[in-house]
Amino acid sequence: MTAQLTCRNLCLGYDGKEILHNLNFEIYAGEYLCIVGENGSGKSTLMKTVLGLQKPLSGEILTGDGLSSNEIGYLPQQTIVQKDFPATVSEIVLSGCQGACGIRPFYTKEEKKRAVENIEKMGITHLAKRCYRELSGGQQQRVLLARALCATKKMLLLDEPVSGLDPKVTEEMYGLIQTLNKDGITMIMISHDIGSALKYASHILHIGKTVFYGTKEEYVANGGFTTNGGER
């Protein structure tokens, strides 16, 4: 069995300053990985590197098992500018197909159909013509999740997807993510919520002064973390 994503001897940082050293882990189809750790430990940097938005200082990231680097969906942390974006729900969700368009200046019927299906999947069909900036935080996250799904049927990267949401909406969002995972989409999620990470994830990557990678059961057995990098 081939891993969908492999990080091998990965070193990350900015301006030559290293913040993560010699990171090794593999993710297989259908797994649910939560990345946890202190602020500034490199969680978002790792995610940007996986997406190809930033180059590693050294090491490599490999895709396999039929996954190509442009088939990874991404739900980033929202900024104030993004929350105030003046476009309709349908327009934003459809824009998730841009990666497949290449230089083609239009969306195909299949891509438009896919956007409609993902809007339905997120339970926001009634919001399709609404302006994105008029929606609640929870509704906006559903829109962005539908957009991310337009880019992939295989793997989603989620950067703090429940940040700023109230408890009820947070549970609804976790439920949506869990359903997508059960449908076969591999999940990689940055989270500060250790409790929910342990509830939903199959694997944990803890980064910071200590590094751990393994199943959530191994993570708990190691007292939450270990000084040795976890290895399959």
Side-chain angles (χ1 to χ4, degrees):
M1 187 176 179
T2 305
Q4 272 191 338
L5 188 76
T6 301
C7 290
R8 186 178 295 164
N9 302 322
L10 198 63
C11 296
L12 306 177
Y14 291 97
D15 303 319
K17 182 181 179 182
E18 190 176 271
I19 57 175
L20 266 176
H21 175 70
N22 202 31
L23 186 63
N24 291 277
F25 64 93
E26 295 177 324
I27 302 172
Y28 290 79
E31 291 184 344
Y32 190 150
L33 174 69
C34 272
I35 304 173
V36 299
E38 300 81 4
N39 288 332
S41 60
K43 299 187 297 295
S44 291
T45 301
L46 173 58
M47 196 162 277
K48 289 174 183 176
T49 306
V50 169
L51 290 164
L53 302 175
Q54 181 173 323
K55 290 185 177 180
L57 298 179
S58 62
E60 58 185 348
I61 297 175
L62 306 171
T63 55
D65 195 23
L67 177 73
S68 62
S69 57
N70 67 347
E71 290 181 297
I72 301 175
Y74 180 44
L75 196 162
Q77 285 192 49
Q78 278 210 80
T79 64
I80 297 298
V81 173
Q82 288 169 326
K83 289 182 178 181
D84 200 37
F85 199 70
T88 67
V89 167
S90 290
E91 289 169 340
I92 287 179
V93 174
L94 186 56
S95 71
C97 296
Q98 285 179 350
C101 288
I103 60 173
R104 172 165 42 86
F106 59 87
Y107 296 107
T108 65
K109 287 184 178 179
E110 180 60 33
E111 287 163 350
K112 292 177 181 178
K113 179 182 177 184
R114 188 169 178 179
V116 170
E117 288 173 349
N118 287 326
I119 286 172
E120 290 175 353
K121 192 175 290 185
M122 291 298 102
I124 51 174
T125 301
H126 62 295
L127 303 174
K129 295 182 180 180
R130 289 273 302 276
C131 183
Y132 176 77
R133 64 185 176 188
E134 297 173 354
L135 306 182
S136 68
Q139 290 170 334
Q140 288 185 343
Q141 285 299 80
R142 285 177 180 249
V143 173
L144 294 181
L145 191 52
R147 180 184 186 276
L149 284 170
C150 283
T152 188
K153 293 181 180 179
K154 297 179 181 179
M155 179 179 286
L156 279 175
L157 272 59
L158 313 171
D159 193 350
E160 295 285 355
V162 299
S163 178
L165 303 181
D166 66 46
K168 180 177 182 294
V169 177
T170 291
E171 283 304 309
E172 290 174 353
M173 182 60 62
Y174 277 135
L176 284 172
I177 294 167
Q178 185 182 35
T179 297
L180 293 173
N181 179 240
K182 287 181 177 179
D183 287 342
I185 297 179
T186 306
M187 296 291 171
I188 304 176
M189 181 175 70
I190 291 176
S191 179
H192 282 107
D193 184 354
I194 301 294
S196 291
L198 293 175
K199 180 178 179 181
Y200 296 108
S202 62
H203 292 73
I204 303 290
L205 173 63
H206 178 111
I207 57 178
K209 293 179 180 178
T210 59
V211 175
F212 171 87
Y213 171 71
T215 66
K216 64 180 178 183
E217 292 81 10
E218 291 167 342
Y219 184 71
V220 172
N222 276 277
F225 62 85
T226 178
T227 54
N228 300 312
E231 197 171 296
R232 267 179 197 271

